[in-house]
Amino acid sequence: MSEKIHFCNDLFNRERFETREVKVGITAIGGGNPIRIQSMTTTDTMDTTGSVEQSIRMIEAGCELVRLTAPSKKEAENLKEIKKKLIKRGYGTPLVADIHFTPNAAEIAAKLIEKVRVNPGNYADKKKFEEIDYTQESYQAELDRIEEKFTPLVLLCKEQGTAMRIGTNHGSLSDRILSRYGDTPEGMVQSAMEFIHICRKNNYHDLVISMKASNTLVMVQAYRLLVQTMKEQGMNYPLHLGVTEAGDGEDGRIKSAVGIGALLEDGLGDTIRVSLTEDPEFEIPVAQKLVHKFEKSSSKKLNYSSEINFDFFHYNKRFTKSLLNIGGSNTSIIFADLSNKKEIVKTNFFGFGYTYSKPLDKWSISDQAADYVYLGDQTIDFEIPGTIRLIQNYEAWKKHKRHDAYPLCTWSEYQQNKPERTVFLLLDLDTDFDVSTLPTENISYIIESKEQQKTQLIRKFQHELAKNDNKTPVIIRLNYDIPDLETLQLYASSDAGIHFIDGFGDGLWITAPQPIKDLNSLSFGILQATRTRISKTEYISCPSCGRTLFDLQETTAKIRERTSHLKGIKIGIMGCIVNGPGEMADADYGYVGTGPGKINLYKEKTVVKKNVSEEEAVDALIELIRENGDWIEPNKSL
């Protein structure tokens, strides 16, 4: 393995990055401890009873650290009451104070509970979306100012034995960082490292570090770069993983698993929080299922190294030859699987984005319509839309030879028959074969593995293709025997997401014992979460906390109901001004709570309507989208 790869112990065998242990009350993070699961209350921290009751629900669900917002001194001081009542009820789970903007609140909390979280972008720094041309002297002057403001908290935490999370967020980088590094993973890492160096200067090391973003590519790249930077400087602080503002339902689960799973696949991560726009106790079982995937060890160890150096810190799509509508400049394609049907009829196509009108004799196609349908040994006797192609097992294809069908061959079938038609070659990565002998003309590879740890096998294949300058398109096929849909969503998103984030894969094919509609939605969801194929509206929705100024779940549902047909539009739905303009940094439109019953509406980073009443705000958002030419009437979305 090349010495240039520092973020991962071994690209081809999962090994956990060994971090130092940090004690947070009765719980220890990092070292040889299991991956810890945490969440955050949504209650007002001044509501002592409500916060205690919700914390207990979270703890009983399996939450190992409970975070509460402390936006001012009074909330920080009330943490003492919440802690006292929890202990009286028999709950000693550590509490974490979430701090933004207010150093004095952090210093109060550090004396009362086990951990504080500070955001380098707004704890002592500025965020006004101003571009400033810093000189070396003026930049250093800002660093000196930050050190002066931050050091008292560092010394207090050291004295009290209080742990700290330095939590960088992509959307709240300071103007100073943005002016020098831009809105990049490099800027996120630099922001955290400045605060880490202040801690180290004072010999304080009870640190946990996070690099959160709503964009999974940025999030994964930032964590990788952070680990490489820490390793180069002799550091090994534990990592808190999370995709911020992931949203709710299926989308929130897929997006979280894509980002968190990609890092866990490489042994990175010591504690996780799955941020869903749902009650916090519902986040815990989701996180537990995801962590459970990585508690299983692989029976297969790869004795493999590579001289190929990929850039894991920036997105680079693998260049492939174009075949039909696969590879080249084409978007990633989706497979649907009807091979288990005894008889295939037109209505079977309804599950993956196609509807047929018998009176009109016409097919309608949605934005989430699969591109290929695998029939196995079956065939069909009706015409299909020209946008879709069929795949059959070789013998069935040879028998029927439909003009819109292509053969799927095993390696041995291909060697024996070498069909003249465009071929899909199924490759079992669990078997040994010489990549240099694979055909490369008029062919696409479909790769699969039965191993629980597929990532390293797929990555090995990627390196072998690069070594042989093989530019053949690759479809990733993932086969599962998982009856629970949520578990499937988490496992498939983790297994597939890392490769699409790394620019490898021209298509996705998922099989599992679930309805084909769910598998199709999952497949498109993974591509959406990796920014590989945009097929629907994206909601950057915060998980709510004590700062939230309206019912976030209800509002998100209302906005989704009105806008879910707007393909490719990103809408940020933020509960308060803290997580507003910053966290939805790459949203097209924003809906942000600014006061009780009052909403600010944004076009990108600019507020365009202030203090709109909550009753009128959704309509006003629709009108804003309309004014900017992005509105499409729902009946015109197909």
Side-chain angles (χ1 to χ4, degrees):
M1 185 171 63
S2 169
E3 294 181 358
K4 291 184 180 180
I5 303 297
H6 296 292
F7 80 93
C8 178
N9 288 352
D10 186 344
L11 282 172
F12 306 104
N13 294 285
R14 187 195 303 152
E15 293 179 2
R16 192 169 170 189
F17 171 45
E18 187 175 342
T19 56
R20 67 186 299 144
E21 183 179 82
V22 171
K23 293 286 182 64
V24 185
I26 61 173
T27 302
I29 299 174
N33 294 288
I35 296 169
R36 303 297 188 184
I37 292 169
Q38 57 179 286
S39 185
M40 185 174 182
T41 60
T42 61
T43 52
D44 184 338
T45 308
M46 294 306 296
D47 177 4
T48 304
T49 300
S51 296
V52 168
E53 294 299 330
Q54 190 175 70
S55 295
I56 290 173
R57 292 195 297 273
M58 293 161 61
I59 294 165
E60 292 187 342
C63 183
E64 296 172 279
L65 292 97
V66 174
R67 181 157 50 110
L68 304 97
T69 183
S72 71
K73 291 169 63 176
K74 64 177 184 177
E75 286 89 359
E77 288 164 350
N78 201 48
L79 293 171
K80 180 179 180 179
E81 291 302 310
I82 293 171
K83 183 72 180 175
K84 185 167 67 175
K85 289 185 180 297
L86 282 170
I87 290 174
K88 188 176 181 179
R89 298 273 294 270
Y91 297 92
T93 301
L95 301 185
V96 184
D98 194 61
I99 306 294
H100 291 270
F101 304 111
T102 48
N104 54 4
E107 291 166 19
I108 292 169
K111 297 177 184 177
L112 301 175
I113 59 174
E114 294 87 347
K115 186 180 176 187
V116 294
R117 179 269 173 133
V118 298
N119 181 346
N122 57 34
Y123 180 83
D125 224 328
K126 295 179 292 186
K127 178 71 171 180
K128 296 181 180 178
F129 296 105
E130 293 178 348
E131 191 168 331
I132 304 167
D133 187 12
Y134 285 93
T135 64
Q136 189 60 41
E137 291 75 17
S138 62
Y139 194 94
Q140 184 59 49
E142 283 294 288
L143 290 180
D144 293 341
R145 182 185 62 80
I146 290 166
E147 182 172 353
E148 183 180 349
K149 281 198 131 185
F150 183 51
T151 297
L153 177 62
V154 173
L155 295 176
L156 186 59
C157 287
K158 181 180 177 181
E159 176 190 328
Q160 296 287 324
T162 305
M164 181 190 298
R165 170 156 71 98
I166 296 176
T168 301
N169 273 6
H170 178 227
S172 56
L173 295 175
S174 68
D175 292 334
R176 180 178 52 80
I177 289 291
L178 289 171
S179 295
R180 178 162 290 193
Y181 297 95
D183 191 10
T184 63
E186 288 83 357
M188 295 175 67
V189 172
Q190 180 63 25
S191 182
M193 293 303 297
E194 290 174 355
F195 276 61
I196 292 171
H197 285 307
I198 296 170
C199 293
R200 291 173 68 83
K201 184 176 179 179
N202 290 280
N203 198 29
Y204 173 68
H205 301 286
D206 292 332
L207 302 175
V208 180
I209 318 297
S210 66
M211 296 272 119
K212 290 192 174 184
S214 64
N215 182 324
T216 58
L217 279 74
V218 171
M219 174 258 194
V220 170
Q221 292 159 6
Y223 275 104
R224 288 172 172 175
L225 187 57
L226 171 70
V227 174
Q228 175 179 279
T229 303
M230 288 202 302
K231 285 186 173 184
E232 289 173 345
Q233 299 186 27
M235 305 176 192
N236 64 337
Y237 296 112
L239 303 175
H240 168 121
L241 305 186
V243 177
T244 192
E245 333 301 353
D248 61 354
E250 178 188 54
D251 290 344
R253 284 155 177 78
I254 291 173
K255 198 171 184 181
S256 292
V258 162
I260 296 171
L263 294 161
L264 294 176
E265 289 288 354
D266 278 323
L268 306 180
D270 301 282
T271 178
I272 73 168
R273 190 259 175 116
V274 174
S275 299
L276 301 174
T277 310
E278 301 173 18
D279 291 339
E281 57 266 36
F282 298 145
E283 295 179 350
I284 307 304
V286 180
Q288 289 171 330
K289 288 179 181 180
L290 182 57
V291 166
H292 181 64
K293 178 183 190 299
F294 297 92
E295 294 172 342
K296 305 171 185 177
S297 59
S298 177
S299 60
K300 187 167 187 172
K301 293 291 183 182
L302 298 180
N303 182 21
Y304 184 77
S305 62
S306 174
E307 297 300 318
I308 304 292
N309 290 314
F310 290 108
D311 179 1
F312 290 97
F313 311 117
H314 304 90
Y315 179 74
N316 293 286
K317 178 75 170 67
R318 172 179 174 253
F319 176 78
T320 57
K321 295 181 290 187
S322 181
L323 179 75
L324 302 174
N325 61 340
I326 307 173
S329 60
N330 294 294
T331 190
S332 296
I333 55 109
I334 295 294
F335 273 67
D337 194 327
L338 293 178
S339 61
N340 62 347
K341 301 290 183 184
K342 290 183 179 179
E343 180 183 4
I344 301 173
V345 295
K346 289 180 179 179
T347 54
N348 295 137
F349 283 58
F350 294 7
F352 46 87
Y354 295 84
T355 54
Y356 177 73
S357 169
K358 190 172 183 179
L360 297 176
D361 189 25
K362 180 181 177 181
W363 288 93
S364 296
I365 305 168
S366 77
D367 289 328
Q368 292 196 3
D371 306 283
Y372 286 79
V373 179
Y374 174 59
L375 304 179
D377 292 324
Q378 303 263 55
T379 190
I380 58 175
D381 60 2
F382 53 85
E383 289 299 313
I384 59 173
T387 56
I388 200 166
R389 294 174 171 89
L390 306 175
I391 306 291
Q392 295 172 293
N393 291 337
Y394 176 70
E395 291 299 326
W397 171 83
K398 189 169 65 172
K399 179 178 179 182
H400 300 284
K401 289 193 176 180
R402 282 181 58 120
H403 70 92
D404 50 6
Y406 299 86
L408 177 71
C409 296
T410 63
W411 185 210
S412 60
E413 283 177 329
Y414 183 86
Q415 289 174 306
Q416 293 171 15
N417 299 283
K418 293 186 173 57
E420 295 181 4
R421 179 76 150 154
T422 294
V423 171
F424 289 81
L425 179 59
L426 183 62
L427 297 173
D428 182 357
L429 299 186
D430 299 334
T431 62
D432 292 325
F433 57 86
D434 187 349
V435 172
S436 67
T437 65
L438 294 178
T440 60
E441 296 301 321
N442 214 27
I443 202 160
S444 177
Y445 305 142
I446 296 176
I447 59 173
E448 64 179 1
S449 167
K450 292 184 177 65
E451 283 291 320
Q452 192 272 330
Q453 293 183 21
K454 301 173 174 62
T455 290
Q456 289 71 27
L457 283 166
I458 294 174
R459 186 178 278 160
K460 176 188 173 187
F461 183 67
Q462 178 186 7
H463 277 253
E464 286 291 297
L465 291 176
K467 179 181 175 182
N468 288 278
D469 196 29
N470 186 326
K471 297 179 174 59
T472 304
V474 174
I475 311 301
I476 297 174
R477 175 172 166 176
L478 302 173
N479 306 306
Y480 299 97
D481 185 18
I482 299 176
D484 177 60
L485 178 59
E486 183 177 75
T487 302
L488 173 68
Q489 290 168 345
L490 299 172
Y491 279 42
S493 299
S494 176
D495 284 331
I498 185 171
H499 303 294
F500 287 102
I501 284 173
D502 288 339
F504 183 73
D506 300 284
L508 182 60
W509 178 358
I510 298 174
T511 69
Q514 266 84 26
I516 196 164
K517 182 178 180 180
D518 291 334
L519 299 181
N520 190 68
S521 181
L522 171 59
S523 299
F524 276 98
I526 291 171
L527 296 189
Q528 176 103 7
T530 57
R531 307 286 176 104
T532 307
R533 180 171 179 173
I534 305 301
S535 59
K536 55 186 174 181
T537 316
E538 181 172 349
Y539 299 93
I540 302 170
S541 176
C542 74
S544 187
C545 71
R547 296 184 300 267
T548 301
L549 297 167
F550 55 85
D551 188 324
L552 200 57
Q553 295 181 44
E554 180 182 335
T555 302
T556 299
K558 286 180 181 177
I559 293 174
R560 186 186 291 273
E561 182 182 6
R562 300 280 299 277
T563 63
S564 61
H565 63 288
L566 300 176
K567 174 183 174 182
I569 297 295
K570 297 190 288 293
I571 300 175
I573 309 166
M574 299 294 145
C576 72
I577 203 68
V578 169
N579 283 334
E583 303 305 344
M584 60 175 199
D586 68 346
D588 300 298
Y589 297 92
Y591 182 108
V592 180
T594 188
K598 297 296 181 181
I599 306 298
N600 281 0
L601 298 179
Y602 284 73
K603 177 67 176 81
E604 298 174 343
K605 297 177 181 179
T606 303
V607 60
V608 292
K609 295 186 179 181
K610 293 184 177 181
N611 297 319
V612 181
S613 70
E614 189 177 341
E615 292 76 17
E616 300 172 352
V618 175
D619 287 335
L621 173 65
I622 302 303
E623 185 58 32
L624 178 62
I625 297 172
R626 194 188 305 274
E627 289 171 1
N628 284 274
D630 290 326
W631 182 257
I632 300 172
E633 294 301 327
N635 61 353
K636 297 178 182 178
S637 62
L638 291 181

